[in-house]
Amino acid sequence: MGGAINYAAEVYTMYCTFFGLREKPFNVTPDPRFLFLSQSHQEALGHLLYGIEERKGFIAITGEVGTGKTLLCRTLLDRLGPQVRTALILNSFMSEIELLRSINGDFGIATDGTTRKALIDTLNAFLLDEFRDGRNAVLIVDEAQNLAPTVLEQIRMLSNLETERGKLLQIVLVGQPELRQKLARPELRQLNQRIALRYHLRPFDRRETSDYITHRLLVAGSHGSVKFTARALTAIFRCSQGIPRKINLLCDRALLSAYVQGTLRIDHRIVHQANAELGQPAPGRFASLGSIGLRRGFLIAQGVIFVLALTAGGVWLGYQRPNSLALARFVLGTMTEPPSPQPTPPAHADTAIEPVPSTQPLTAPQSEGILFQTASPEAAQEQATLTDVQDLASTEPVALLAASLPDAAPSGLEGEVLLRALLWEYHRTQPQRTEGVKTALSSVASSFGLEMIAVRTELARLKQFRVACLVETYPPSVPAPSLSIWRGATPEHVALMDANGEVQRYSHEEFARMWFGRVYLFHHDGMALRQILVRGQQGAEVRTLQQRLRELGYFAAEPSGIFDAETAEAVRRFQRDHALQVDGAAGPVTKIMLAHLVGNSRHEAAQP
C-alpha cells in the first residue's frame, strides 16, 4: 500500500516538472490561495462581509456539491480582520450540547459546563466582553443541511444574545440546497424568518470555467506551457457542468493523461478520455435516438431553428438598436429632453440630500475645418455630430471608456459624459425589459461597444476612483435598484449624478444605508485588455502596469517593462487590498480596477 502511494506521489511530481509547475494546480482540497472569484462567488463573499459588518445576525449560503462553499468559508476567515473573533464548525452531526461545547472551544473559552445553560452563560459573557471592546464574533457552520431540527433550534436561540445596538453573534449557515428545504419546514419557521441575507452559489458558465482553469494554472506556477484548446475547454465545461470540484478532477486526470502521452497540449480527445476514466457519462449523447438517420434529422432541425433564430435576431436588433443620431445629440449636448431616469428619493427637510443642477451645459466641440460637403447646413450639422460620436466610440484606451470628454458639471471624472449617455439609453429601454439590472445594463453597454463588469468595493476605495462608474443603490422610497454615476465624496457628503446631469448629495450615513458595495465598471473590449500578464513577460503593457502600480504606491522600482518577481508581488498586494482574486497575474479585472484608480487620460499623457 505504501509503495503504491509513493509511486503515485512520484508520478505527480514528475508531471509537475514536465509542465513546469511548482505544485499540482487542481487539488480538490480547499486552499484559499486558489480561490477564484467568479461573479457568483464575489457576490456571496460580499453578502457575507456586509452581513457580518452590519451585525445582521443570520446569513445563509447554499450551493450544489462541489461549488466551493468550504473554500468560500476559509477565504472569509482570511478576509476578516483581527477585530472579528471566529468559530468554524465543520462537523454538523452533533447534539445540542456537543454543538455548544464546540462553539465555546473554537472561541477559546471554557467547555467544562455540564448543562446547556452553563455553556450559554459562558458564551454570553465572552460575547459581551468582545462587544464592549469593539470586536465582533462570527459562528460559521459548514454542511448545515445535516443539522438536526433540534440543533438548528438551539442555534436560533443563540441569536437572542444581543444588545440594543446589535447582535452579539453573527451566524453563517453554509450548506447544500437541502438546507433551504429544511429551513422551510413549519417547525423551523422562526429560524427561517430570522435569516437576514441569503445567497445561492451558481456553477461557472463557459467563460468562467476557462478563466478558472487559467487562474489555477497561474497560481501553481505555470508560465503558459500548458495549452488547453478551445474545444477542450468546451468539453470540460460540458462534462463538469461548471462545478469547480468536477473541473478539478477532470483537469487533473487530463494533465496526467497528457503527461503519459508526452504532450503539453490538451485537446478535447484527452478530456473525453479523462472523463471516461473517471467513470462519468459523456455529455450530449443521443441516447434516445437509436440511428444515425435520426441523429442527422435532429441536427438538421437544429440548423433550421438556428437560421430562424438568426433571422428573428436581426429583426429584433433592428428594433432595439439605439437611435444613433439621437444618442449623438445627447452626448454632445444638443438634445434638450432626454428621457426621465428612474425615480430618486425626494429631498426632505430632515435628510442630507441636496439636489444640485448642473451649471455648465454640454456643448459640442468646435470644428476646425470643413471635413466634407453636404446638401444642407442641417444635414452637415447632423453628420458632424454623428461623426464626433463615432470617433468617440472607436477610441481604444488601454482599459476603459475613460477618454477625455466634455462634462456637464465641474469636477467630473473621466468618461462621465459617455456614462450619462449609457445611463440615458438604459432608462429609455428599461420599460421594454424584463431581465435584471445587471443583464439589462450589460446589453446596453454592448450597444455602445463596451463590456461591463460588476464588482464589490468599499467606500474608501470608491473615493479614489478617477474614472467614472455606476453605483447601484437601494433608496428607501424607491422599490427597485437605482443606478447613478459616481462623482466623488467630501468629508461631509457623497455626490451622485443622474442621466440628466443633476447631482444629488447624500450624507455618508444616508449613502451607507442604501449602497451595499456594488459598482459597475465599463471598458472597451480589446485584445490588449484580455491578455493576461504573467511573470516572465516583457513589453510596453508590462511597463504601463508597473507605472500604474507605482503611482498607487505598490511598486517601488523604476518601471522596466519586465514582469519580474517584484512586479508579481506588487500585483498580489493590489489584488488583496481590492478584494480581487490574488494570483499575481494582471488579467482584465485587475487592469480595469487599476485604470479606474489611476485614470487614463492623465496616464496616457505621461507615456514615453
Side-chain angles (χ1 to χ4, degrees), residues 57-179:
F58 273 106
I59 307 169
I61 302 293
T62 56
E64 289 292 345
V65 177
T67 50
K69 300 182 296 296
T70 301
L71 180 56
L72 187 68
C73 291
R74 295 192 181 278
T75 302
L76 175 65
L77 294 175
D78 288 345
R79 294 285 176 90
L80 296 174
Q83 292 300 106
V84 180
R85 300 291 297 273
T86 59
L88 175 62
I89 305 299
L90 297 174
N91 176 21
S92 53
F93 291 102
M94 57 178 67
S95 65
E96 300 99 297
I97 198 163
E98 289 172 336
L99 173 72
L100 292 172
R101 284 174 177 161
S102 296
I103 293 171
N104 286 9
D106 233 37
F107 277 130
I109 56 179
T111 62
D112 53 359
T114 57
T115 64
R116 282 186 290 178
K117 182 180 184 306
L119 291 167
I120 291 175
D121 287 345
T122 302
L123 177 61
N124 190 38
F126 164 77
L127 294 175
L128 285 171
D129 288 341
E130 295 298 307
F131 186 79
R132 277 193 293 265
D133 293 339
R135 289 189 291 268
N136 203 345
V138 180
L139 167 64
I140 303 173
V141 183
D142 199 7
E143 302 294 345
Q145 77 279 353
N146 297 324
L147 293 171
T150 54
V151 178
L152 284 169
E153 182 62 17
Q154 177 63 71
I155 291 176
R156 181 188 70 82
M157 297 298 292
L158 294 180
S159 69
N160 291 332
L161 304 177
E162 59 185 357
T163 69
E164 293 179 352
R165 290 184 291 163
K167 299 287 185 181
L168 296 178
L169 181 63
Q170 318 314 314
I171 302 171
V172 180
L173 299 177
V174 182
Q176 297 169 18
E178 291 79 7
L179 175 61

Side-chain angles (χ1 to χ4, degrees), residues 329-345:
R329 285 173 170 168
F330 173 70
V331 172
L332 297 178
T334 58
M335 175 174 283
T336 57
E337 296 182 0
S340 299
Q342 58 199 52
T344 54

Side-chain angles (χ1 to χ4, degrees), residues 195-405:
I195 296 177
L197 295 172
R198 306 169 192 259
Y199 193 84
H200 184 73
L201 281 173
R202 301 182 301 274
F204 297 153
D205 59 24
R206 165 63 176 79
R207 183 170 179 176
E208 287 173 336
T209 299
S210 176
D211 291 344
Y212 173 76
I213 293 170
T214 301
H215 166 70
R216 293 195 71 104
L217 287 170
L218 289 171
V219 175
S222 172
H223 296 295
S225 58
V226 185
K227 302 291 185 183
F228 281 85
T229 67
R231 291 186 67 183
L233 293 171
T234 299
I236 292 170
F237 170 65
R238 294 177 63 196
C239 291
S240 67
Q241 299 175 315
I243 295 176
R245 184 179 298 164
K246 290 184 178 181
I247 296 172
N248 287 353
L249 291 170
L250 188 54
C251 287
D252 183 65
R253 183 57 64 95
L255 285 179
L256 185 59
S257 296
Y259 164 68
V260 172
Q261 297 177 28
T263 178
L264 297 173
R265 184 174 180 271
I266 293 90
D267 60 18
H268 65 287
R269 287 179 289 270
I270 292 178
V271 172
H272 286 303
Q273 176 188 340
N275 190 59
E277 291 173 355
L278 291 171
Q280 299 298 318
R285 287 192 178 276
F286 294 85
S288 61
L289 303 179
S291 67
I292 295 178
L294 284 176
R295 296 186 190 185
R296 287 178 178 172
F298 181 79
L299 292 175
I300 291 171
Q302 278 190 319
V304 171
I305 293 171
F306 179 69
V307 171
L308 291 174
L310 283 179
T311 305
V315 174
W316 183 86
L317 286 173
Y319 282 105
Q320 296 296 324
R321 186 178 182 84
N323 184 317
S324 299
L325 183 56
L327 189 58
R329 285 173 170 168
F330 173 70
V331 172
L332 297 178
T334 58
M335 175 174 283
T336 57
E337 296 182 0
S340 299
Q342 58 199 52
T344 54
H348 300 288
D350 58 347
T351 68
I353 304 173
E354 179 185 354
V356 182
S358 299
T359 57
Q360 181 180 345
L362 288 170
T363 56
Q366 296 297 317
S367 174
E368 297 183 357
I370 299 176
L371 301 179
F372 42 77
Q373 296 291 332
T374 57
S376 66
E378 292 79 6
Q381 182 179 358
E382 290 185 355
Q383 183 61 45
T385 301
L386 187 55
T387 301
D388 285 332
V389 173
Q390 288 170 342
D391 290 342
L392 175 64
S394 64
T395 57
E396 291 191 7
V398 172
L400 310 165
L401 57 87
S404 297
L405 301 172

Side-chain angles (χ1 to χ4, degrees), residues 410-422:
S411 304
L413 300 177
E414 294 180 26
E416 190 175 90
V417 171
L418 190 53
L419 276 197
R420 284 182 58 200
L422 188 149

